[in-house]
Amino acid sequence: MIAIDGPSGSGKSTMAKLVAGELGYAYLDTGALYRATALGLVRLGLHEDASDEEIAAALEKTAVAFADGRVLLNGSDVSGEIRLPESGHYASVFSARPPVRRYLLGIQREAARDADLVAEGRDMTTVVFPGAYRKIYLDASVDERTRRRTEELLAKGFSLNAEKIRREIIERDERDSGRKIAPLRRAEDAAYINSTGLSKEEVLLLILNVVRSGE
Ligand code: DC
């Protein structure tokens, strides 16, 4: 198990996929699970101020799975839909709620039972896989993350305002790091890698150095 945490737009997904390919491991995108779960709750008509009881009841009717890089919600592939900008917002909001975290904890650990994984998210190194073989905290400056996110969304055909994206990144950082349960934070035993100004190849090498250190 290689566990990678970091803020929104730090390059975790790209890097986790590359590292998994390099090591012959499976890749687990836990943000995708939170996005699909939030989408399921929104489709069931839940609002951001729903009670924990309402959320828990809705989760009884929600089945989320991650397989071969696709995300399934109640058996349907929602891999495209969960990348819409508002999905990230709802994922961030509902991921702060205890029933949602409880629900996904089991699903994430189950995924690690039969496969060697590179898992990325916000609490891989601290809560879900504290015993991971290697732990990495991947960071990048707010400006760099704004630039990457703007380019990514433009490439998908969204017309966007970079200042708005910047504000959303800062807001998401504050929510993901400030929540009571499983907040994003750097584990003491996680290697810190700041990817600001580095190419993908350079970041991949740094991560592989951490993975192979001491072998
Ligand atoms: O990595 P991402 O942008 O797809 O994640 C979407 C949201 O899901 C993120 O803002 C917070 C939440 N999340 C979480 O709380 N814990 C994780 N392990 C992964 C994501």
Side-chain angles (χ1 to χ4, degrees):
M1 165 65 61
I2 311 293
I4 306 178
D5 285 324
S8 173
S10 59
K12 298 181 305 290
S13 303
T14 308
M15 284 306 137
K17 257 181 239 164
L18 290 172
V19 173
E22 200 70 33
L23 302 175
Y25 283 18
Y27 157 62
L28 180 67
D29 174 355
T30 62
L33 293 174
Y34 280 96
R35 285 168 181 262
T37 304
L39 178 64
L41 295 176
V42 170
R43 281 190 185 167
L44 286 169
L46 269 79
H47 295 287
E48 297 185 12
D49 57 0
S51 68
D52 283 352
E53 290 71 26
E54 286 168 322
I55 292 177
L59 289 173
E60 303 257 328
K61 294 179 251 166
T62 306
V64 164
F66 187 80
D68 300 325
R70 315 300 298 172
V71 193
L72 304 179
L73 171 62
N74 302 326
S76 302
D77 189 340
V78 291
S79 309
E81 202 169 342
I82 59 162
R83 294 301 154 199
L84 295 173
E86 62 268 27
S87 284
H89 169 78
Y90 285 119
S92 178
V93 168
F94 283 115
S95 68
R97 306 298 296 273
V100 171
R101 300 213 75 86
R102 263 197 310 274
Y103 170 71
L104 286 179
L105 188 62
I107 293 177
Q108 294 167 96
R109 291 199 175 141
E110 187 67 29
R113 274 233 305 245
D114 317 310
D116 282 326
L117 286 185
V118 180
E120 57 97 351
R122 305 292 190 289
D123 60 344
M124 299 298 98
T125 59
T126 52
V127 174
V128 184
F129 302 117
Y133 171 63
R134 292 288 186 263
K135 299 184 183 183
I136 292 153
Y137 188 93
L138 188 59
D139 207 356
S141 70
V142 170
D143 285 346
E144 176 95 7
R145 293 188 283 131
T146 303
R147 193 180 56 69
R148 288 181 194 160
R149 189 44 55 94
T150 309
E151 279 173 11
E152 186 186 310
L153 291 170
L154 280 176
K156 287 185 184 164
F158 292 102
S159 65
L160 294 154
N161 168 328
E163 192 41 46
K164 182 161 176 267
I165 293 177
R166 190 173 200 282
R167 277 201 308 274
E168 284 170 358
I169 284 180
I170 294 171
E171 186 194 314
R172 193 104 84 81
D173 284 357
E174 283 169 358
R175 196 180 306 104
D176 294 347
S177 308
R179 68 185 176 216
K180 286 202 193 81
I181 35 168
L184 170 66
R185 64 173 182 81
R186 182 184 161 193
E188 270 169 30
D189 53 353
Y192 180 83
I193 296 179
N194 193 323
S195 70
T196 309
L198 300 183
S199 67
K200 281 180 194 161
E201 293 72 21
E202 287 170 322
V203 181
L204 178 61
L205 274 182
L206 288 174
I207 296 179
L208 290 175
N209 278 343
V210 171
V211 170
R212 293 177 175 143
S213 60
E215 280 182 359

